[in-house]
Amino acid sequence: MMLTKTGVSLTGPADLFTPTHLCQQPKYRVAGGRWTSSFNKAAMEASGDLHWDTAAILSSIAFHYPVGDLTMVREVSRNPWLSETGGADDPILSEIPPHGWRAGTPPSIAEDLGVLLYEEGRRVCTGRNEIYILLSGGLDSRIVAGTLRHLWKDGVIDNRPVGLTWGLENSRDAVYAKAVADILDFDWINIPVTPGTLFDNIDLSAANGALVPPPDLHRVSWFSSLSRDAIVLAGSYGDSIGRAEFSGNHLLELEAHSPLNLFGLVRPDLCASAADRITGQLENLSSRAPDEPEYARFEHEQQAHYMRGMIHQAMSLIGKHCSIYQFFTDPSVYSYIWSIHPSMRGDRVYGYLLESLDSRLARLPWARTNRALRGRTEGAERGLAVDFHRYCEWISGPLYKKISEIVDPDWFEGTGIFVREKVEALGKRIAAGGSSCHQDSFKPYNVWLWLASLRRMEEIQRCNGKSIIPGQFAIRPCPPELEDHPADKRSLLRKLASKSELARNLKRKARRALLKRKAFKNFPPAGIGRETPMRDQSRLEEPGGSRPDGPAGFQRQKTKVPAGISDQKCGDPEAVAGKSRHIRR
């Protein structure tokens, strides 16, 4: 039985992740066993053989991560999202903060967010002498870096932070990350990513339960060289909180998780029962916030399953060597952002926040587009590699023979779960190669390497004296909606249009504008332009009652209600945004 814990807590240096943080370090246990940070240790505590979990396998193929508390074996479960675990006790579920419909101008939201991030950084960095930040060419990490610079200049941090960027030196990520470090006067280290790194990640994933595809581990093995006292700061959650974006989709564009038997790998007669268990995990989460609107429940799914279950699952391996902390996950930060109307969460807030931190950060190109998010682009370089890696080229080239020996179709058929011919067909598809590692085109590579880690995981368990056997499967016909990936059914015209960046951008802008107008109609916002667009003002206060001002440039400035806009009636988001621009001037 799971209990529920209410309340929002703040963190101190000794307790980086609380039960109300958006992510906690993964823990595992068998039924009735003690929670442990080691998947293998938990598996060893199981009595008898282990059994494959077809739901976790289908979920990993469909989404690239197992949803909910699932692992690859039925006997071992993970700690739930937003929960407290300890000893052999059942997890205590934290209350999920509500979403709200507060309105505010982008400058006012950015100022509040800046204060909260400053306080988040102060709490986790105070007393730390060795501070690293994962820097990319993206926006999230430069916001974290800009916040750290203010903490450093204000004397909260004693030593100069060090930026870390993994990937090719001639990539946009590396070049623009170094530019960020230069602007902020940070030290900077480039961490190479090679074909050997990618191959080693197969075993690294396997050693930790094959819960993350090897490509998503990047270069986390490098951090074994750091001291235990070091802290590594990441901004992985920034897009999802600051810009309300998940894998390129805005919050209002999200849809419910729907498992698909990609590439037909799983036996069709096993898919229905596996999908039922996946649905059960999704419903367990939904039942924790039954009164929330649909878009909020979809955001919960992304945070609980994708961000916690894959992004931080991968990053948590850094925590085996030193401290790892994800910015934007403190309850004071995300509960505030969740109180904002969903149509007002987006790029413009980030633009104003970057301006507040350092206008040069706003002008520096965003690696994704090679253009500044706000204002005139400065420092753009042509000819840089768009990706920080060449995974597709490496997988279908120098690594192919070694990986294909691991992904043996006969072995996978022997599990009783996979279709031999489909595993073989996937390998041939990889052998054909392809230079693109974007969107759907990278999925076969990702799944193929994950299959390699799954087999290696079984070998590790066998070495530990544990066999993994098929177990009892419920045999039922496969529903048609689980059989194929929707992308395979698109018309030729749609496939061609999807390859055009211009067409994709136009479609995305039109869709988002329509969805934001619809959200304004369905959830009328309140409080546009109020001094502090928050549900609970106390969350911005110190324990003693005084409100932290944060660094220079973050002091709260009173914003008047734009003419023609009241709490009772709000115009569409574009009109409100237009009025806010005049306020800023």
Side-chain angles (χ1 to χ4, degrees):
M1 179 179 180
M2 295 183 182
L3 306 177
T4 300
K5 181 176 181 179
T6 61
V8 173
S9 58
L10 301 179
T11 64
D15 189 11
L16 294 179
F17 294 115
T18 71
T20 51
H21 270 72
L22 276 181
C23 65
Q24 297 90 34
Q25 291 295 88
K27 294 182 180 180
Y28 313 90
R29 74 166 184 173
V30 295
R34 298 183 63 83
W35 292 98
T36 173
S37 60
S38 168
F39 171 85
N40 292 327
K41 184 177 180 180
M44 288 287 290
E45 294 180 0
S47 59
D49 292 327
L50 303 173
H51 298 81
W52 290 115
D53 191 325
T54 53
I57 289 172
L58 180 63
S59 178
S60 295
I61 292 171
F63 312 127
H64 305 310
Y65 48 87
V67 297
D69 313 335
L70 302 178
T71 72
M72 296 304 137
V73 295
R74 295 286 291 261
E75 287 74 16
V76 180
S77 61
R78 286 187 292 183
N79 51 325
W81 179 58
L82 289 177
S83 70
E84 181 176 5
T85 55
D89 296 332
D90 287 334
I92 301 175
L93 302 181
S94 301
E95 184 177 297
I96 301 176
H99 281 63
W101 305 316
R102 284 278 188 180
T105 62
S108 68
I109 298 171
E111 288 170 8
D112 282 337
L113 179 57
V115 170
L116 292 167
L117 291 175
Y118 183 89
E119 287 304 300
E120 184 177 26
R122 181 183 63 80
R123 286 191 289 271
V124 300
C125 292
T126 298
R128 297 280 186 169
N129 295 318
E130 194 177 345
I131 299 176
Y132 298 87
I133 174 174
L134 296 177
L135 269 180
S136 70
L139 305 175
D140 311 308
S141 62
R142 70 180 67 172
I143 284 176
V144 177
T147 303
L148 284 184
R149 183 179 184 278
H150 281 286
L151 290 165
W152 180 34
K153 295 301 182 183
D154 291 348
V156 177
I157 297 173
D158 293 329
N159 297 327
R160 186 192 310 269
V162 179
L164 303 173
T165 305
W166 51 49
L168 303 174
E169 283 188 291
N170 67 334
S171 67
R172 290 179 183 175
D173 273 302
V175 171
Y176 296 144
K178 185 179 186 306
V180 170
D182 290 342
I183 287 172
L184 302 178
D185 197 24
F186 288 180
D187 292 329
W188 181 77
I189 299 173
N190 177 242
I191 304 173
V193 173
T194 67
T197 303
L198 185 58
F199 188 78
D200 290 344
N201 283 347
I202 294 174
D203 285 340
L204 182 59
S205 172
N208 290 277
L211 297 170
V212 178
D216 290 298
L217 295 177
H218 304 304
R219 192 65 197 280
V220 298
S221 59
W222 181 89
F223 295 86
S224 61
S225 62
L226 298 184
S227 72
R228 292 297 306 177
D229 295 332
I231 184 170
V232 177
L233 305 174
S236 310
Y237 279 70
D239 274 349
S240 67
I241 299 302
R243 299 176 51 244
E245 184 179 284
F246 299 86
S247 301
N249 294 313
H250 187 268
L251 167 62
L252 295 172
E253 297 175 295
L254 295 179
E255 298 177 352
H257 278 63
S258 179
L260 295 163
N261 187 15
L262 293 187
F263 317 116
L265 293 172
V266 175
R267 278 174 43 191
D269 55 348
L270 302 181
C271 286
S273 59
D276 286 346
R277 292 195 65 237
I278 292 172
T279 300
Q281 292 287 322
L282 300 176
E283 290 176 347
N284 287 343
L285 176 61
S286 181
S287 68
R288 294 174 63 180
D291 299 326
E292 287 286 85
E294 185 178 65
Y295 76 84
R297 294 199 302 273
F298 291 165
E299 182 161 24
H300 294 164
E301 285 190 11
Q302 291 293 323
Q303 290 293 350
H305 306 307
Y306 169 56
M307 296 302 300
R308 189 285 301 242
M310 190 185 83
I311 299 300
H312 188 66
Q313 184 79 30
M315 292 300 211
S316 69
L317 298 187
I318 295 175
K320 294 182 179 292
H321 311 294
C322 58
S323 296
I324 172 72
Y325 183 78
Q326 292 281 4
F327 259 72
F328 298 90
T329 64
D330 192 288
S332 65
V333 176
Y334 74 84
S335 61
Y336 162 64
I337 289 295
W338 283 6
S339 76
I340 302 298
H341 195 282
S343 64
M344 296 183 177
R345 294 168 58 188
D347 291 352
R348 300 185 72 243
V349 171
Y350 256 26
Y352 282 105
L353 181 52
L354 286 168
E355 287 277 6
S356 298
L357 292 167
D358 191 313
S359 61
R360 293 172 295 177
L361 298 179
R363 305 288 179 266
L364 193 68
W366 182 11
R368 184 188 298 184
T369 63
N370 213 34
R371 296 190 297 272
L373 179 66
R374 176 178 169 81
R376 185 181 61 195
T377 302
E378 297 177 358
E381 294 189 27
R382 294 184 178 182
L384 297 175
V386 176
D387 298 312
F388 64 87
H389 57 78
R390 295 200 296 271
Y391 286 162
C392 293
E393 178 184 330
W394 297 339
I395 294 168
S396 61
L399 295 178
Y400 181 80
K401 186 176 186 300
K402 291 196 295 184
I403 298 173
S404 63
E405 291 172 353
I406 303 173
V407 188
D408 177 11
D410 291 330
W411 183 90
F412 283 90
E413 183 181 40
T415 64
I417 296 173
F418 294 91
V419 179
R420 184 193 185 286
E421 293 76 16
K422 298 297 184 179
V423 175
E424 185 176 32
L426 180 60
K428 291 179 179 179
R429 180 172 179 172
I430 300 300
S435 59
S436 175
C437 285
H438 293 289
Q439 299 179 349
D440 290 347
S441 60
F442 188 58
K443 287 184 177 180
Y445 296 87
N446 216 20
V447 171
W448 200 57
L449 259 69
W450 173 77
L451 290 176
S453 69
L454 187 69
R455 181 179 179 183
R456 287 290 204 212
M457 187 271 283
E458 187 273 341
E459 293 172 353
I460 290 172
Q461 298 308 316
R462 192 150 28 88
C463 288
N464 291 339
K466 292 289 184 182
S467 297
I468 308 180
I469 59 180
Q472 297 296 319
F473 296 141
I475 307 299
R476 285 159 48 196
C478 181
E481 62 269 18
L482 298 180
E483 291 180 351
D484 298 306
H485 192 286
D488 295 332
K489 299 179 180 179
R490 293 178 301 175
S491 68
L492 178 60
L493 182 61
R494 288 187 62 193
K495 289 179 180 179
L496 291 174
S498 69
K499 295 180 180 180
S500 167
E501 183 178 357
L502 176 61
R504 289 197 305 269
N505 289 339
L506 290 174
K507 180 181 178 181
R508 183 182 301 115
K509 288 181 179 180
R511 176 176 169 80
R512 288 186 180 180
L514 180 63
L515 289 171
K516 287 182 178 182
R517 290 174 184 272
K518 183 177 179 181
F520 255 66
K521 180 180 179 181
N522 293 341
F523 312 108
I528 291 183
R530 295 306 181 190
E531 180 176 351
T532 307
M534 296 192 65
R535 176 171 299 197
D536 184 359
Q537 175 80 8
S538 66
R539 289 175 180 164
L540 275 177
E541 296 180 353
E542 294 279 23
S546 60
R547 186 178 185 277
D549 286 329
F554 283 135
Q555 282 76 15
R556 193 72 183 91
Q557 297 178 358
K558 194 167 184 178
T559 303
K560 296 181 179 179
V561 179
I565 300 180
S566 68
D567 289 349
Q568 287 73 37
K569 185 176 181 179
C570 300
D572 64 57
E574 299 302 324
V576 174
K579 295 183 188 302
S580 71
R581 285 195 292 270
H582 294 296
I583 296 171
R584 183 67 176 179
R585 292 169 187 161

